Amino acid sequence: MRGDAAGAPQPPGSESGGAAPGTPRMALALGGGSARGLAHIVILEALDELGLRPAFIAGTSMGAICGALYATGLTGAEIRAGFIDEFTSRGALLRRFAGKLTAGFSSLWSVRSPSVIDNVTLFEMMLPDILHCDFAALKIPFVAVAADFYAIEQVILDSGPLIPALAASCALPAWSRPVVLDGRVLIDGGYVNPVPFDAVMGRADLTIAVDVTGDTQRPGAKFPKVPPPLEAMTGAAQLLFHSVTREKLRSIRPAIMIRPAVGGFGAFDYFRIDDILAAAAPAKDELKRKVAQCLERGS
């Protein structure tokens, strides 16, 4: 685990993986966005169809989960199938969860903080077995981004067990307990770096970043719906993530930025996975087109 910066930029060729001779080495940054982050699946499928394998991956929050899955060697199609199996049926998910709940219930939930869950326990129960490993076991170098609550800085997580790092990167306040790692109290990385392209730009020739923080949604009704408290809280976090990304882009930009059109979905719309993937589908062709343009320019 490292602190504010991602470390000194590595020269192209310093990590395993990458592209065929003559093809630019590509780094991938997947942003946070809760359920909107399911749109990352479409991007991963596009990379597979292009025959591009990232040399390095960074992820924040839901982007960290998708990025870690891809770093294990799973294809985009396999990741899609796994998430669809997980989120197609609420009843099936609850039954699988209930079967694992007895042993971990006391650490998952506390009567003193009934609205807050322990992400490490939840992820140990719910994430696939392939993620129950160390960073060193991944086939593609990967880092997860979290925020140090007290130091008020970014933390790059790049070693040790993967599950606690993913739990920290996804620890949304008031929903998940902060995760303590190496003496640091960590919360969702979106508060410091929602789309962590700057964590990978020095590690490859071409950086692809995917922003799922949403786009402007203007209600058409004369009296727009006022969001309930939980939706307002998570929506406010997405507003902050979007603003941080917008300001960062004023000073530094990746070669390719993709924004799937998923701003109309809520933070917990995981069971609308089919709709999210359908809304994100045009981003696949957009990515292919932009990659082709970069290759033509010799980027």
Side-chain angles (χ1 to χ4, degrees), residues 189-200:
Y191 287 94
V192 288
N193 202 346
V195 189
F197 54 84
D198 52 326
V200 296

Side-chain angles (χ1 to χ4, degrees), residues 104-240:
F105 182 79
S106 60
S107 58
L108 176 69
W109 182 84
S110 169
V111 69
R112 291 180 296 178
S113 303
S115 64
V116 180
I117 60 173
D118 182 84
N119 259 9
V120 176
T121 302
L122 179 66
F123 283 16
E124 287 174 344
M125 291 178 177
M126 302 305 296
L127 291 182
D129 291 343
I130 198 170
L131 292 180
H132 290 242
C133 66
D134 276 21
F135 279 84
L138 297 173
K139 295 181 179 179
I140 300 173
F142 166 77
V143 299
V145 175
D148 186 317
F149 182 80
Y150 289 108
I152 318 178
E153 67 180 9
Q154 170 177 278
V155 175
I156 298 293
L157 302 170
D158 60 1
S159 62
L162 192 57
I163 292 291
L166 297 178
S169 186
C170 297
L172 192 66
W175 170 255
S176 306
R177 294 176 199 152
V179 175
V180 179
L181 289 178
D182 293 345
R184 290 178 180 260
V185 178
L186 304 179
I187 63 172
D188 194 300
Y191 287 94
V192 288
N193 202 346
V195 189
F197 54 84
D198 52 326
V200 296
M201 287 180 69
R203 298 177 182 268
D205 307 302
L206 172 68
T207 300
I208 298 172
V210 187
D211 178 8
V212 291
T213 59
D215 47 12
T216 301
Q217 299 292 313
R218 297 191 182 279
K222 183 176 180 180
F223 300 102
K225 171 190 171 186
V226 175
L230 180 59
E231 184 179 340
M233 180 185 70
T234 56
Q238 294 301 313
L239 188 156
L240 173 63

